């Protein structure tokens, strides 16, 4: 696409400038067409300066994700092959589930700049202002339905790994679907599926990461327990590069999962902050307290009560007790 | 509704006849309106004779299910409160899943006279000619996702019970989702769900029963392993009464399930024909043979191999070996 090619040429120019004539001849298009593409880029939020006798120069790159930017240099085979980018959606997961039931391929990624009805686990809300990452990946693993919780674990490993690599902050997994830094929530996962009891049809793995938003965007009670990557890293985060890292880590761990679930569980244990802690667990009409001992082969949490009985937790909310 | 009331009056008349004047006065409508309703009933397949000085009389009742007929005398509180009846659909289960995601209440029943894309388990086809029963029930049980297989068991118990009561034939359950009579398939179940790993959003419990169809409607290879209730009972079956019995038994066993899963498992064992048989199990890339020993608390089949190891089967096809 000529527009993308123009951006590329402008970005790779040593002086910063490329003349309109140069652009036209290198793309094999007219100078009028070059000018039209420049106008489109400006419309997309780029600042482009035109200096007589020197040419065009980028003065401002918009902080919006762009499909072509994400794709350029993305080292994945399946995940992100089809990327669908939206300015605003109700919920990337809802969109992904719809796309999947209409036949969208495994690895299709739905990304949105904001969500008006972002969803958390158990029907909760996921507040979704500008500046963060909201994406959902369609997966079609050939696994029995009772193994679906493992997909959340795969996603959590990928998110924690990508954040650690990209931002050098100590992100850790809280069972089952949160990512925390220093005890504050920075990301969450939502796995939804269409299934029969003995096979999964498709999954939407939803990932929300608080990246660059202002914490004031959040209500007071949520803000207390929330942080952003920018906050933790002390600098604004390059979201495009983070998405690329995330999709790469997700493909990596998903592939490993399909051949060796144990390897994912081992990595999950390395990255988690739940095991070894005293926790209270609530859900399914009861609350109890104990020591989080580990996870079983199906990703369920094993909690040792004070009378030494072991409870296997498939669903529930975990609160980690301060020591 | 006046039209239903007219049917009721005609059916309950001792002579068979009710005059138009009588109908009009008892319904508080004009004779022209009575005549219009009679025309509508004829359009729906009823034969109605008009004899001067005697009145109207039903000469033919169409063999089509009618919502009002099913509702009349139906002794359920939830299941069948909302009945949606269709002449032809692609799949009652697909329709039920759509209705559920748009908020249809628990217990909503979708019934169709035929399906053009009837579905069996694992993406298979369910051939759906006229004369049988095809229905799906929306359920919203507050249970964790890994317990979904139990819903198929609840459905199987209800179908086998209803068939036994209504047709006096020895219907038995073959794990996980078939109902057989004398080794031939007469009904099947398909459980579909929308879920997170730790909670079910909604389920469509699909039930197909081969009732009155001609077996010639089926391809030769399917026909060999199939029978119909009419075939087994030696007489045409009243489908309306069977639906009523089925919905009642389904409500009965679903309610029991919500308070005592063990009681359902016990009844399932009474009605099943798999346990105690030598079986081959295929699925998830392997085939093995053993003795079906029982089902576990989550509805999975326990198979004892010849080396006395026990395999727990969550997904797979079971073939019962002849003794």
């Amino acid at each position: 696409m000529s527009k993308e090619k123009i951006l590329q040429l402008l970005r790779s120019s040593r002086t910063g400038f490329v003349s309109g004539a140069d652009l036209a001849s290198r793309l094999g298009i007219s100078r009028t067409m070059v000018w039209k593409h420049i106008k489109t880029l400006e419309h997309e939020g780029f600042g482009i300066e035109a200096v007589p006798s020197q040419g065009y120069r980028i003065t401002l790159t918009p902080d919006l994700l762009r499909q072509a930017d994400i794709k350029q240099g993305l080292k994945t085979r399946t995940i992100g092959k089809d990327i669908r980018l939206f300015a605003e959606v109700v919920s990337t997961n809802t969109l992904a589930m719809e796309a999947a039931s209409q036949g969208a391929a495994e690895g299709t990624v739905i990304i949105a700049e904001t969500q008006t009805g972002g969803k958390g686990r158990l029907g909760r809300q996921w507040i979704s202002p500008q500046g963060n990452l909201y994406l959902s990946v369609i997966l079609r693993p050939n696994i029995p339905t009772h193994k679906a919780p493992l997909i959340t674990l795969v996603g959590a490993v990928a998110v924690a790994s990508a954040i650690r690599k990209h931002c050098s902050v100590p992100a850790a997994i809280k069972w089952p679907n949160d990512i925390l830094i220093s005890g504050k929530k920075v990301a969450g996962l939502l796995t939804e599926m269409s299934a029969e009891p003995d096979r999964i049809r498709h999954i939407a793995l939803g990932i929300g990461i608080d990246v660059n938003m202002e914490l004031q965007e959040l209500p007071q009670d949520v803000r207390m327990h929330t942080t952003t990557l920018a906050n933790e890293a002390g600098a604004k985060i390059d979201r495009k590069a983070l998405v690329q890292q995330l999709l790469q880590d997700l493909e990596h761990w998903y592939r490993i999962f399909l051949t060796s679930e144990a390897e994912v569980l081992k990595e999950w244990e390395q990255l988690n902050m739940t095991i070894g802690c005293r926790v209270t667990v609530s859900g399914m009409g009861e609350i109890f307290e104990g020591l989080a001992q580990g996870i079983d082969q199906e990703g369920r949490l094993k909690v040792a009560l004070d009378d030494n009985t072991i409870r296997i937790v498939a669903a529930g909310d975990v609160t980690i007790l301060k020591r």
Side-chain angles (χ1 to χ4, degrees), chain A:
Chain A
M1 217 176 126
S2 302
K3 191 185 74 187
E4 300 305 328
K5 190 82 185 146
I6 289 172
L7 265 188
Q8 225 177 302
L9 291 170
L10 291 176
R11 280 171 175 163
S12 58
S13 152
R14 240 187 279 172
T15 62
F17 284 103
V18 185
S19 74
D22 236 23
L23 290 171
S25 78
R26 291 176 70 174
L27 270 69
I29 59 177
S30 68
R31 289 191 60 173
T32 313
M33 273 311 291
V34 169
W35 180 82
K36 278 189 182 166
H37 287 306
I38 296 285
K39 287 293 146 198
T40 307
L41 288 167
E42 285 179 348
H43 191 73
E44 287 176 7
F46 283 88
I48 297 178
E49 187 183 20
V51 177
S53 86
Q54 297 201 71
Y56 295 108
R57 184 176 71 141
I58 298 174
T59 55
L60 178 72
T61 298
D63 187 27
L64 285 177
L65 292 168
R66 300 176 69 256
Q67 197 196 41
D69 292 348
I70 297 171
K71 283 214 152 186
Q72 196 180 352
L74 180 65
K75 293 181 203 77
T76 59
R77 278 195 283 171
T78 313
I79 293 182
K81 211 179 154 195
D82 181 354
I83 293 179
R84 305 181 188 183
L85 187 59
F86 298 86
E88 178 181 287
V89 300
V90 174
S91 149
T92 58
N93 246 39
T94 302
L95 220 57
M97 288 297 281
E98 284 172 12
S101 65
Q102 283 155 25
E106 174 160 88
T108 299
V109 177
I110 310 281
I111 310 184
E113 290 287 353
T114 56
Q115 301 181 110
T116 55
K119 292 186 290 187
R121 195 169 64 107
L122 305 176
R124 290 166 191 155
Q125 187 190 7
W126 187 267
I127 301 170
S128 309
Q130 292 271 2
N132 294 333
L133 276 183
Y134 312 106
L135 64 89
S136 295
V137 182
I138 294 172
L139 299 174
R140 300 180 180 277
N142 183 18
I143 57 171
T145 305
H146 67 275
K147 290 203 167 177
L150 294 175
I151 293 292
T152 309
L153 269 60
V154 169
V157 164
V159 173
S161 306
I163 290 177
R164 283 183 181 205
K165 281 183 227 167
H166 187 67
C167 312
S168 304
V169 291
I173 304 167
K174 174 168 168 282
W175 187 91
N177 72 326
D178 291 330
I179 311 295
L180 275 63
I181 301 175
S182 317
K184 288 185 168 186
K185 194 159 160 175
V186 76
L189 296 112
L190 172 64
T191 303
E192 287 184 87
M193 60 180 156
S194 164
E196 295 172 30
D198 46 10
R199 69 154 187 167
I200 291 171
R201 292 232 184 91
H202 52 257
I203 285 179
L205 175 61
I207 296 170
I209 307 179
D210 291 336
V211 186
N212 291 325
M213 73 165 167
E214 298 298 327
L215 280 168
Q216 289 95 294
E217 300 264 8
L218 301 180
Q220 178 66 35
D221 57 324
V222 181
R223 201 189 308 165
M224 281 171 54
H225 307 287
T226 307
T227 187
T228 64
L229 293 180
N231 230 20
E232 297 298 318
K236 205 170 170 196
I237 303 296
D238 177 352
R239 292 188 305 151
K240 179 208 74 177
L242 177 60
V243 171
Q244 290 178 330
Q245 186 67 59
L246 175 61
L247 297 184
Q248 280 158 208
D249 284 355
L250 191 57
E251 178 157 300
H252 176 76
W253 286 107
Y254 182 60
R255 278 175 190 279
I256 288 176
F257 166 74
L258 293 178
T259 56
S260 165
E261 294 167 7
E263 213 172 313
V264 173
L265 294 176
K266 220 173 96 189
E267 185 70 11
W268 189 93
E269 280 171 13
Q270 293 292 322
L271 292 169
N272 106 92
M273 53 154 299
T274 310
I275 295 172
C277 293
R278 276 197 76 78
V279 294
T280 57
V281 180
S282 62
M284 292 287 158
E286 54 166 359
I287 301 183
F288 56 87
E289 186 179 323
L291 179 74
Q293 275 204 329
I295 48 172
D296 72 7
Q297 288 183 341
E298 290 168 15
R300 297 180 294 190
L301 189 67
K302 289 184 283 187
V303 178
L305 307 192
D306 292 341
D307 63 2
N308 287 321
T309 57
I310 304 285
R311 294 288 297 265
I312 305 291
V313 185
D317 282 315
V318 168
T319 307
I320 295 176
L321 301 172
K322 292 203 181 74
R323 276 169 293 193

